[in-house]
Amino acid sequence: MRYLFFTNTPAHVHLYKYAVRELQQLGHDVLVLGRDYGCTKDLLEYYDLPHEIYGSCRTTKYSLFMSLPFHYTNIFRAVHRFKPDLIFGMGGYAAHAGAVSRTSVVLLLDSEPTWLDYTVARPFAKAILTPHTFGKELSENHFQFHGFKETAYLHPDVYEPSVDIRSEIGLEPDEKYAIVRFNAFGSHHDVGHHGFTADSRRELIELLSEYATVFVLDESRERHDGDLDARPFDFHPALVHDVLAEANLLVADTQTMVTEAALLGTPAIRSNTFVGENDMGNFVELEREGLISNFKSFDEVKARAEELLTDDGAKQRWAERRDDFLADKVNLSEVIVQVALNYGSVESVDSLSRHTVPVR
């Protein structure tokens, strides 16, 4: 069979990388269509996935909308050449590629607030897969799996550190370190939202530096921390999960990396304007399980960060909570492969009964 996967962001590469490899090992033809956004291209090359780049996108608002005609032209040409039997993706590109080529599409969605993605995509989907925490019913072909999209690559069955990361990044064995992740808020679903201000970024780094070595990963063009005691993320982006797993704390105004920290047993603080009554279900559950903290108030962020960095037992407790939390969660890569292998009868396969994807 022939399978096409869309990877529009670095997180999408991680989401599908193990499924792509397994399908290849089973003798199937696989193509990954990627967007040159952030480190997406670097990751596709690092993992040696069979890929083509259909276009690029900057981390600025409305950059995507200006690039859409060019992107769709390249995508439709690639789909026509490859002639897939099934397409996987997380939004409009995959859905519309399937509609034009009359190919079945499986969407994997996890963000209730990003309504535009599923509104333009769901009419064309053979099946929609979402985490068990997803708070909306999208269609009669909507199935849930017991986990998050990040359990495709951070589930204990598939994730293990690739290097001695402390040696790799020049840290002592017992040296505390924190990661600060600043979002550019340039995606279409970020319009109207924001995170830390330039002043709060500086204040946060100054505070964390009193207790730990600080690594800064900043997408924003407004960065003004060049004179602060902080280190940039100057290692290969494929090592980010190894770095995150060993960290004592993550503070971020972005989304995916917070979930990743929780699944790696690293205390995490999230602060942006998505936090609140209509927040994504996965962040609500992770906070309820004691794995992350969601705040709108910057004062609460600072107080919680100081509390965690002065708590020498925090990492061990978080590791135990992580183990308990993941004990009944699905290895999503296995689910993706099974859906691919059974694509011809997605609606009738017993294991894909409505609202349920098996975890075994």
Side-chain angles (χ1 to χ4, degrees), residues 1 3 5 16-31 47-50 158 333 337 341:
M1 307 306 292
Y3 300 104
F5 291 81
Y16 290 124
K17 64 186 178 186
Y18 291 116
V20 167
R21 287 174 177 171
E22 185 167 349
L23 289 169
Q24 284 185 296
Q25 291 169 1
L26 291 172
H28 300 281
D29 293 323
V30 184
L31 175 64
Y47 294 117
D48 194 24
L49 300 181
V158 294
S333 289
V337 169
L341 298 178

Side-chain angles (χ1 to χ4, degrees), residues 39-308:
C39 59
T40 302
K41 185 178 179 181
D42 293 334
L43 291 175
L44 288 168
E45 294 172 352
Y46 181 90
Y47 294 117
D48 194 24
L49 300 181
H51 69 277
E52 295 179 15
I53 300 299
Y54 63 78
S56 62
C57 182
R58 300 186 302 275
T59 56
T60 56
K61 284 183 172 63
Y62 310 115
S63 172
L64 174 61
F65 295 105
M66 292 185 291
S67 303
L68 283 177
F70 177 75
H71 288 178
Y72 272 113
T73 298
N74 289 340
I75 286 168
F76 294 155
R77 287 174 178 169
V79 172
H80 178 73
R81 289 194 305 269
F82 185 65
K83 295 180 172 58
D85 296 300
L86 184 64
I87 296 173
F88 286 87
M90 294 194 69
Y93 286 141
H96 300 154
V100 169
S101 63
R102 297 185 179 181
T103 305
S104 295
V105 177
V106 175
L107 297 177
L108 204 158
L109 306 174
D110 73 335
S111 176
E112 301 94 324
T114 58
W115 59 269
L116 181 60
D117 287 334
Y118 54 77
T119 298
V120 302
R122 63 183 175 186
F124 309 102
K126 179 76 170 180
I128 299 174
L129 309 181
T130 70
H132 66 288
T133 56
F134 195 85
K136 296 180 182 293
E137 184 172 337
L138 299 181
S139 75
E140 62 181 12
N141 301 321
H142 179 179
F143 306 93
Q144 291 187 335
F145 56 89
H146 201 57
F148 303 140
K149 80 175 191 297
E150 292 82 5
T151 56
Y153 54 96
L154 294 180
H155 191 278
D157 288 351
V158 294
Y159 172 75
E160 59 182 30
S162 58
V163 296
D164 178 355
I165 198 61
R166 285 184 172 272
S167 175
E168 187 78 15
I169 62 179
L171 293 177
E172 297 297 324
D174 297 324
E175 185 175 351
K176 280 190 175 183
Y177 70 94
I179 299 171
V180 179
R181 172 72 160 90
F182 297 136
N183 193 7
F185 288 88
S187 298
H188 66 279
H189 52 255
D190 292 327
V191 173
H193 288 281
H194 59 84
F196 296 117
T197 66
D199 288 342
S200 61
R201 292 188 194 108
R202 289 183 59 87
E203 188 175 348
L204 176 63
I205 294 170
E206 289 174 344
L207 172 67
L208 300 181
S209 299
E210 296 179 17
Y211 303 100
T213 299
V214 180
F215 290 90
V216 178
L217 177 56
D218 191 351
E219 286 186 344
S220 173
R221 294 189 173 200
E222 299 176 0
R223 182 175 175 183
H224 300 292
D225 57 11
D227 60 335
L228 296 177
D229 185 15
R231 295 174 55 178
F233 265 50
D234 54 2
F235 42 81
H236 196 283
L239 300 179
V240 67
H241 298 126
D242 295 348
V243 178
L244 190 55
E246 283 282 310
N248 295 88
L249 177 66
L250 168 73
V251 183
D253 59 10
T254 186
Q255 313 279 46
T256 297
M257 206 166 175
V258 173
T259 303
E260 292 172 339
L263 300 187
L264 291 167
T266 296
I269 299 171
R270 168 176 168 264
S271 180
N272 55 39
T273 53
F274 286 102
V275 174
E277 184 178 349
N278 297 314
D279 207 349
M280 289 171 57
N282 62 312
F283 294 118
V284 174
E285 175 158 312
L286 289 172
E287 184 168 48
R288 184 168 60 242
E289 296 294 326
L291 288 166
I292 70 171
S293 299
N294 297 304
F295 297 120
K296 282 191 173 181
S297 163
F298 184 57
D299 287 339
E300 290 180 299
V301 170
K302 291 187 296 180
R304 183 61 169 156
E306 190 169 17
E307 177 186 353
L308 288 168

